[in-house]
């Protein structure tokens, strides 16, 4: 038996005294139930019970209690609670870990808020889970972009293009100089555009481009599907010379991602669609800091974080925290590339670089490239110019003076962020 | 191409005009993005765009807008929105369906609330997904309980018992006459109680009981784990004569459940741990009616619904709606057994039967059996007496007069529900 532990950090609200609530939660998620039962010996409690590591009082936010909450609202407290779970209870198994740290507890009626916001995991998880296979370095090598921000785009319209139209669009985007192209998450494997037809339409275009230029842009084919189809979908892509597969992590599950990782020969692009269902409420669910650790353990080489000034609900502070979280070392695993998307264009480069201090980012622009007034080539140039300027320490005004494509982009998408 | 569709029903709140918000949502989750892009032809829109099927105004609930919501709070509306998605967009693939009906939309900042509450699925899903293999009839046959409520219990303490203690407890519970016993969802495959040791401790006890009585209680071993271990875990149980495996559906994912279903030789007991993370908020996530359809398609023979008067947050009305949802026919699939648990005891039988009109239920009692003042045998008798009385049309008072074990239970757990 090891003495290793997992520490789970929660934000909770309750009308119970905090210490009591913490102990109920720890008991419910380990040895116990609300009442002591026969055979629940002191020895069992000592060895298997989760322990309250710390409780930090926080001010209430004014949010309404979750549905079904009991307790006097006047007595409500908010706290950051850290619980310590013996690893022996579940072993380094992510599915079984989740039952302990993120199982029934969301339904406890004494909790007016209960959100899992972080997990400290012992090294045993990195022994069992392989983590990213390619990471930043492997991704850069495959797309021939040794330094600078990795710039990519998304096929638009998301769905509905014929194979011929798709091939034509990919040719334009490759010629425009993108490092990376991805299927939309809505483009799965439906009868109107089966994966094998997309692969057949896209890969010859990229191969011809590579023959001409020596550079093969990375195309992330969305292979999201039932588990038994993941491997065949992956193999189809690899057999055609593809260098990346994408899955919607929540649709195949963390377990499905891990299953794919064990078989993958190319980087796995992790899309976070549906993450809002577990994370958008600040009263219940799982926060990005906790979730991204599990996604990385399960092997995502790329992971969506959103970007600043995005069209979704997250603030810049939240987005930057997500990017920082993905960039933080984790149990000696290979790195994962943060993927910045939604509303991205060249005018966000300086502010993003200033806040993150890195170009080890995959920045995806849909409208910012497809919608540039002078075409996709100018769209890519505007972003490349902006990121090179930012990384060189120039200010935005200098970048605008030096880059005509960026100036043109700013006319449509501006103003630039400082 | 088929003309089949999926209809997704949402509860939404927004400050945009409802028709406009509905169209934005439909566009974002099918052909489009907020702005029209090159190649998004009228033809593509006609064939692939999701359509607004209906919008029904609802009164506001007073809940606070989701974090990050934009728009004038004074203009906020609540509505039930039904969107119609062409099946061709994703095909009958649950993971790809989810990207359309439950993907990025939870993060749209124009939505102050967005919850997926129902799904109408076309028959193609039942062609691709096998659904429950055993259902009610197969479960009854395996546990030798041809009629009446199926009564079961959960191993307590949840974790920490030695193999010898576990075997002893299972012997007591079998002698007490339970139809069904399950591992706690916290009991996975950790080093302190590996699955193979539990199987070795439990199955000989059940086999000896079966030799004596002709009845082998069903034991649901929790085999939740990484995908690559599911099949071996299942095979271990079956090889030892086990008749049921349990998975935490959200931990292996719907895709993991479906993977297991294709290999299962015994009923799959579907635990819903972590469901609260996506469902407890009434402002965001996925409701039980929508979720349970996917779980059934993926093959759960049993599915947890909670029971009335449970210790979690759900109201009786919600629980009864969940039970009714699971019992509703779905695309010609085999039935799934609703599993009522948490706070269950004999005194809830009459009220539960009156509300559901059926005994095709698996009712699990932890304290109600382990904690009966005269022991587990009397606990099971109290529940059996109560359910037989209810199903025979007697009232609660008659049941109490006729059953000493139920009277004793009522002293401790009462009062009975009428």
């Amino acid at each position: 038996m090891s003495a290793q532990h997992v520490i789970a950090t929660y934000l909770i609200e309750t009308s119970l005294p905090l210490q009591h609530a913490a102990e109920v939660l720890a008991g419910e998620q380990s040895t116990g139930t609300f009442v002591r039962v026969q055979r629940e010996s002191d020895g069992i409690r000592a060895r298997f019970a989760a322990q309250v590591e710390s409780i930090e009082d926080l001010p209430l936010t004014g949010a309404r209690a979750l549905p079904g909450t009991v307790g006097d609202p006047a007595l409500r407290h908010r706290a950051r609670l850290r619980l310590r779970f013996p690893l022996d209870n579940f072993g380094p198994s992510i599915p079984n870990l989740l039952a302990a740290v993120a199982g029934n507890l969301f339904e406890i009626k004494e909790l007016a808020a209960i959100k899992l916001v972080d997990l400290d995991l012992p090294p045993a998880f990195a022994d069992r889970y392989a983590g990213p296979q390619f990471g930043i370095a492997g991704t850069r090598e495959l797309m021939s972009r040794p330094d600078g921000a990795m710039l990519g785009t998304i096929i638009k319209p998301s769905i509905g293009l014929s194979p011929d139209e798709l091939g034509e669009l990919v040719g334009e985007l490759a010629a425009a100089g993108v490092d990376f192209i991805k299927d939309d998450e809505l483009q799965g494997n439906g009868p109107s555009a089966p994966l094998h037809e997309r692969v057949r339409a896209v890969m010859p275009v990229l191969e011809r481009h590579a023959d001409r230029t020596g550079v093969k842009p990375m195309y992330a084919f969305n292979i999201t599907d039932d588990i038994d189809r993941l491997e065949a979908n992956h193999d189809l892509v690899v057999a055609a010379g593809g260098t990346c597969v994408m899955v919607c992590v929540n649709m195949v599950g963390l377990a499905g991602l891990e299953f794919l990782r064990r078989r993958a020969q190319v980087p796995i692009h992790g899309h976070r669609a549906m993450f809002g269902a577990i994370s958008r409420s600040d009263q219940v669910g799982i926060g990005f800091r906790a979730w991204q650790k599990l996604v990385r353990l399960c092997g995502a080489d790329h992971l969506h974080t959103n970007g600043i000034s995005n069209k979704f609900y997250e603030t810049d502070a939240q987005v930057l925290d997500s990017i920082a979280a993905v960039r933080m070392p984790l149990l000696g695993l290979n790195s994962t590339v943060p993927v910045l998307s939604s509303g991205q264009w060249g005018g966000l480069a300086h502010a993003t670089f200033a806040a993150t201090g890195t170009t080890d980012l995959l920045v995806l622009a849909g409208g910012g490239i497809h919608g540039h007034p002078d075409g996709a080539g100018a769209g890519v140039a505007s972003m490349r110019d902006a990121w090179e300027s930012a990384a060189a320490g120039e200010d935005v005004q200098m970048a605008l003076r030096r880059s005509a494509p960026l100036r043109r982009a700013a006319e449509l998408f501006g103003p630039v962020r400082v």
Side-chain angles (χ1 to χ4, degrees), chain A residues 5-20:
Chain A
H5 294 89
V6 167
I7 294 178
T9 305
Y10 302 93
L11 294 175
I12 68 167
E13 290 183 16
T14 182
S15 299
L16 295 175
L18 283 177
Q19 181 71 33
H20 178 61

Side-chain angles (χ1 to χ4, degrees), chain A residues 307-311 314-317 319-320 342-355 386 389-390 394-397 399-400 406 410 413-418:
Chain A
I308 61 170
S309 296
N310 72 75
K311 70 180 178 185
E314 287 185 338
T315 62
D316 287 353
V319 167
L320 292 171
S342 177
Q344 301 301 292
W345 69 286
L348 303 176
H350 287 75
T352 301
F353 183 77
S389 162
E394 293 180 5
D395 66 16
V396 172
Q397 296 311 321
L400 284 168
L406 183 59
F413 306 123
V416 295
R417 288 276 301 262
V418 184

Side-chain angles (χ1 to χ4, degrees), chain A residues 304-357:
Chain A
H304 282 242
T305 58
N306 284 337
I308 61 170
S309 296
N310 72 75
K311 70 180 178 185
F312 293 116
Y313 80 95
E314 287 185 338
T315 62
D316 287 353
Q318 171 62 57
V319 167
L320 292 171
D321 191 67
S322 296
I323 295 169
V326 172
R327 298 190 63 235
M328 213 167 278
L330 177 63
L331 301 174
L333 299 181
N334 200 347
S335 57
T336 290
V337 184
V339 182
L340 286 56
S341 67
S342 177
Q344 301 301 292
W345 69 286
L348 303 176
H350 287 75
T352 301
F353 183 77
T356 63

Side-chain angles (χ1 to χ4, degrees), chain A residues 29 174 186 194 230 240 265 290 302 336 383 418:
Chain A
Q29 294 304 121
L186 297 174
L230 284 180
Q265 298 166 45
H302 311 159
T336 290
M383 292 184 69
V418 184

Side-chain angles (χ1 to χ4, degrees), chain A residues 233-314:
Chain A
N233 287 356
H234 164 276
D235 292 352
L236 179 73
V237 170
V238 171
T243 57
C244 188
V245 293
M246 158 175 151
V247 285
C248 292
V249 175
N250 294 306
M251 288 28 169
V252 300
L254 288 162
L257 171 62
E258 196 269 344
F259 175 90
L260 174 63
R261 166 64 180 86
R262 289 184 184 274
R263 291 151 178 83
Q265 298 166 45
V266 292
I268 300 172
H269 185 85
H271 197 284
R272 70 178 222 176
M274 197 161 98
F275 180 63
I278 59 167
S279 193
R280 184 162 174 191
S281 170
D282 47 17
Q283 295 290 99
V284 71
I286 302 175
F288 190 82
R289 281 203 164 247
W291 184 74
Q292 58 90 25
K293 289 184 182 175
L294 304 177
V295 177
R296 289 162 67 191
L297 276 166
C298 290
D301 294 283
H302 311 159
L303 181 58
H304 282 242
T305 58
N306 284 337
I308 61 170
S309 296
N310 72 75
K311 70 180 178 185
F312 293 116
Y313 80 95
E314 287 185 338

